[in-house]
Amino acid sequence: MPPPADTTSLQEHRLGLLVWKARQIRQAVTAFEQAWPPLPPEPAVPVFGWSQLQRQLTDLAPPELQPLVADLVSAIRKESAAKPAEMVLREILTITATVLDDGFREKYAEDPTML
């Protein structure tokens, strides 16, 4: 017995969103790789985990931005497998700069929905 039509259309909508998101990530990766071609292999940085990254960024962030760090790290983590390591590094550095930026802190205090 087939699922009701509304369930099927909901599933098709979700699948469409997933395909759209995958294309969006692929386009971002392609643009990144064009701007930043791969470098020759070299020794890797020390290995650390997502929890360690989140803990350190939370500690660096001012108190009013600390709750935001978990969401930002989660967003990067979810898409990291589909991106080059250097692109993920750039996103981590962007989060770091953002939470340390006094101007961002002031704007976020005025409008916490800005993200």
Side-chain angles (χ1 to χ4, degrees):
M1 173 182 226
D6 57 307
T7 303
T8 301
S9 63
L10 180 60
Q11 290 172 342
E12 289 173 355
H13 177 71
R14 287 181 179 161
L15 180 59
L17 288 174
L18 288 172
V19 169
W20 176 83
K21 185 64 175 175
R23 285 183 179 154
Q24 184 182 32
I25 292 171
R26 184 69 238 155
Q27 289 171 347
V29 167
T30 299
F32 181 87
E33 289 174 337
Q34 287 174 349
W36 304 98
L39 295 170
E42 59 184 309
V45 298
V47 178
F48 58 89
W50 292 104
S51 297
Q52 293 164 317
L53 172 65
Q54 182 175 327
R55 178 171 58 184
Q56 293 305 314
L57 286 174
T58 300
D59 184 65
L60 290 171
E64 63 272 19
L65 295 181
Q66 288 178 350
L68 185 64
V69 171
D71 291 337
L72 294 172
V73 170
S74 177
I76 290 176
R77 182 186 49 77
K78 288 175 186 173
E79 296 179 359
S80 66
K83 296 178 178 179
E86 188 176 3
M87 188 175 185
V88 175
L89 171 62
R90 187 177 179 96
E91 291 174 351
I92 291 168
L93 294 172
T94 300
I95 287 176
T96 306
T98 300
V99 299
L100 294 176
D101 179 20
D102 290 334
F104 175 81
R105 186 182 328 167
E106 292 167 9
K107 289 178 185 174
Y108 185 76
E110 293 170 11
D111 181 12
T113 64
M114 65 187 281
L115 293 178

